Amino acid sequence: MDLRGASADSAAVLTDELGSNLGDSTSAATVADGLFTIASTLRSEAALRRFASDASIPAEAKKGLVGEVFGGKVSDGALAVLTSAVGRKWTAPRDLADTLEHLSVVALVKAAGTDSGRLADELFAFAQAVKDNPELRDALSDPARSADDKGGLIAVLLGGRALPSTITLAQQALSGSYRTVSVALAAYQRTAAEVHGEGVATVRVARELTDAETRRLADVLSAQYGRPVHLNLLVDPTVLGGIRVEIGDDVIDGTVASRLDDARRKIAG
């Protein structure tokens, strides 16, 4: 989530406050559902969005209105987050909805508890399934299919195989707040890692790494970047041996294919 100025400050405060409104894993999932519902409503109702984020309107008036609109429709925890949010300053009206969606993801990560690493892996795996399966990708992007129909398809595909938080996030990725489902899933995975102070590295290798090799690579990257790094491993025969690591804007390319390309450029140049 890329926020600036007052919006970034408000989002940071709300993130710190979120924990006091979550409770146990079941409660956290309920709060997440409410926050996502609120974010979706704000995106679809321009007048409400502008009113809730307008710094010239007294905070008490904004809190009163959102209480009337959402009271009894979302959990008390979700309403408490919203009430705090509308009392803060926002650089742009859309930043309020974006922040509430982000907080819904954080809440779902918290709901996963000690399975947060598994959650990140499942989000990545589902994103790869969407990327590699044209029929699935078309089904999830088909404008003729309802959101409920698409969400039901995800429930069938992941039910009994994935964490509840994974299924919910995969369904939330259909909302259209991101350019594609895959982009949404990637953003959600980054949030899942960030909640635990981790970075995310996509690692392309020519063959499966052993557990020992995976741990060693994670340790090296963690030491290099000064924080734990969660690995997304992809077996990609085109790398022709070696390893390619993408972490943030950094690319570490030690593949045979890369060295061959370098040699070709030197010969051509």
Side-chain angles (χ1 to χ4, degrees), residues 67 104 132 184-185 263:
S104 79
D132 296 338
L185 292 170

Side-chain angles (χ1 to χ4, degrees), residues 131-154:
K131 178 182 177 182
D132 296 338
N133 189 322
E135 291 184 358
L136 175 58
R137 188 168 62 249
D138 290 344
L140 295 179
S141 60
D142 186 351
R145 302 184 70 163
S146 68
D148 288 342
D149 184 29
K150 296 174 185 178
L153 173 60
I154 288 175

